Amino acid sequence: MSNQEENETDSAPSSNWAELTHVCLLNILSRLTLTQRWTGPMFVCRSWFSACKDPVFHSAFDLETHFESLAESPRWWTPEFERRIDSMLRSVIEWSEGSLVEIKTRHCSDRALSFAAERCPNLEVLSIKSCPNVTDNSLTRIAFRCSKLRELDISYCYEVSHQSLAIIGRNCQNLKVLKRNLMNWDASQHEGIVPKEYLNACPQDGDSEASAIARFMPNLEHLELRFSKLSARGLCLICEGCLNMECLDLSGCINFTSRDIVNTTSNLKNLKQIIKPNFYIPRSVFHTDRYGHWRLYDERFQTDIFRI
């Protein structure tokens, strides 16, 4: 480059991105994802940080997409990671100024969820999978303060009981979608990632939960109960109490047969999709204490493969 060109470049006006108007910044930042905003623009300068906090960006808090794109890590189950998720969620709740209608995350705690109950009266979608420190306490607050809830995912939240389901059903009459999935019975899939004591704490009261769902959630249209411990009796209660059911996922449920499913779901006139259990169960599994009741299937069908 010649000396003349260098002088012309030096004398040209430089762009000061920090002086963009708030409206321009909102327009630019609206083209970015949540993750992109949190890992870049928020750290540019004070005006950019202020724009990132605008309520227009915080009607929804969705980290589930990010979680799904990554391989599960043992680090996610640590107190430090939970504190970071809590801090992030609390910040978004504050910035939303009451406009937050959707929360999708994992590994948050009662503290953040109770804060959401206080500040998010318009909440409609709540997905909090794999939260070992979410209990009936915070979900009860959600039930009483977020009556517009229409979708709830509490999969792998083992400190949540059927009592929460009953309270939510009583107070959230618009609930259409419930996902209450448990972890796969094959613990080897989670070894080294999920703490062993948490795997052993898997809820066993499937019929109690089924009873609460049947009695207090009559408007359900989509229900997921993967690897639930409910029996044919519990399934019958659900099918009698939730007549608007359109989608029913029973993957991994082993306490009833194909005939039980046909008989109990025959009165669901709106049912469009049902996902039945489908297993490959080696004979060696039947002889363990934890899954000893599966020996019944082996004796009944005389096969190494039990499929519904």
Side-chain angles (χ1 to χ4, degrees):
M1 181 181 293
S2 66
N3 292 335
Q4 182 179 355
E5 290 175 330
E6 288 181 357
N7 292 333
E8 290 177 354
T9 301
D10 293 339
S11 62
S14 60
S15 299
N16 190 345
W17 293 95
E19 294 181 358
L20 285 172
T21 65
H22 189 73
V23 174
C24 286
L25 280 175
L26 294 184
N27 185 285
I28 294 170
L29 297 175
S30 67
R31 304 166 193 271
L32 304 179
T33 65
L34 174 69
T35 303
Q36 289 171 335
R37 288 198 300 272
W38 275 76
T39 56
M42 291 184 70
F43 302 100
V44 171
C45 61
R46 185 174 298 177
S47 62
W48 283 51
F49 179 63
S50 177
C52 287
K53 296 194 299 180
D54 194 286
V56 72
F57 295 129
H58 303 296
S59 61
F61 176 69
D62 184 2
L63 284 183
E64 180 59 25
T65 304
H66 185 66
F67 276 115
E68 287 182 340
S69 67
L70 302 172
E72 190 171 11
S73 168
R75 184 174 63 89
W76 295 356
W77 294 85
T78 63
E80 179 185 4
F81 188 79
E82 181 180 83
R83 285 192 294 269
R84 291 183 178 181
I85 295 295
D86 276 2
S87 177
M88 191 174 181
L89 178 55
R90 286 176 65 94
S91 294
V92 170
I93 291 170
E94 288 181 343
W95 300 339
S96 73
E97 297 181 359
S99 64
L100 193 63
V101 297
E102 179 179 305
I103 295 175
K104 292 184 177 181
T105 187
R106 302 184 192 181
H107 300 284
C108 65
S109 74
D110 264 355
R111 295 183 298 274
L113 204 56
S114 295
F115 190 65
E118 295 173 5
R119 301 290 190 93
C120 306
N122 298 312
L123 192 65
E124 297 180 7
V125 177
L126 179 62
S127 175
I128 46 170
K129 298 194 297 188
S130 302
C131 295
N133 291 313
V134 164
T135 69
D136 289 338
N137 183 36
S138 60
L139 278 184
T140 296
R141 297 187 182 191
I142 289 288
F144 283 114
R145 296 175 180 267
C146 306
S147 59
K148 296 181 181 180
L149 202 66
R150 57 179 174 80
E151 182 175 333
L152 176 65
D153 189 346
I154 48 173
S155 299
Y156 326 124
C157 295
Y158 289 175
E159 293 301 316
V160 174
S161 74
H162 66 279
Q163 296 175 347
S164 287
L165 294 178
I167 296 172
I168 289 171
R170 287 194 191 102
N171 293 278
C172 304
Q173 298 293 318
N174 294 325
L175 194 69
K176 303 292 185 182
V177 178
L178 175 64
K179 300 178 182 180
R180 175 51 167 168
N181 301 311
L182 305 182
M183 290 185 185
N184 194 314
W185 58 269
D186 184 2
S188 64
Q189 294 188 11
H190 312 289
E191 288 179 356
I193 299 175
V194 182
K196 186 175 181 180
E197 60 272 15
Y198 192 69
L199 287 174
N200 293 335
C202 181
Q204 304 294 319
D205 55 348
D207 281 356
S208 297
E209 295 188 356
S211 178
I213 292 170
R215 184 176 178 184
F216 300 108
M217 300 180 180
N219 297 318
L220 277 185
E221 297 177 358
H222 182 110
L223 177 61
E224 294 182 10
L225 296 171
R226 299 172 192 164
F227 295 94
S228 172
K229 304 300 190 295
L230 85 162
S231 68
R233 177 180 175 276
L235 180 60
C236 182
L237 290 175
I238 290 174
C239 293
E240 290 176 351
C242 305
L243 296 177
N244 295 326
M245 193 74 66
E246 296 181 3
C247 179
L248 181 60
D249 189 344
L250 301 172
S251 304
C253 298
I254 52 87
N255 289 330
F256 40 76
T257 66
S258 179
R259 181 177 298 177
D260 292 329
I261 294 175
V262 172
N263 291 339
T264 55
T265 60
S266 60
N267 63 326
L268 298 179
K269 306 304 181 184
N270 296 328
L271 192 63
K272 299 175 182 177
Q273 180 183 28
I274 180 167
I275 303 176
K276 302 178 181 180
N278 190 7
F279 284 105
Y280 172 80
I281 305 177
R283 284 183 180 272
S284 59
V285 172
F286 294 120
H287 299 288
T288 62
D289 292 336
R290 185 174 181 183
Y291 303 107
H293 59 286
W294 280 356
R295 188 179 297 111
L296 172 63
Y297 291 115
D298 190 40
E299 293 170 353
R300 174 186 277 180
F301 297 102
Q302 295 295 311
T303 178
D304 285 337
I305 302 176
F306 173 55
R307 298 183 183 275
I308 295 181

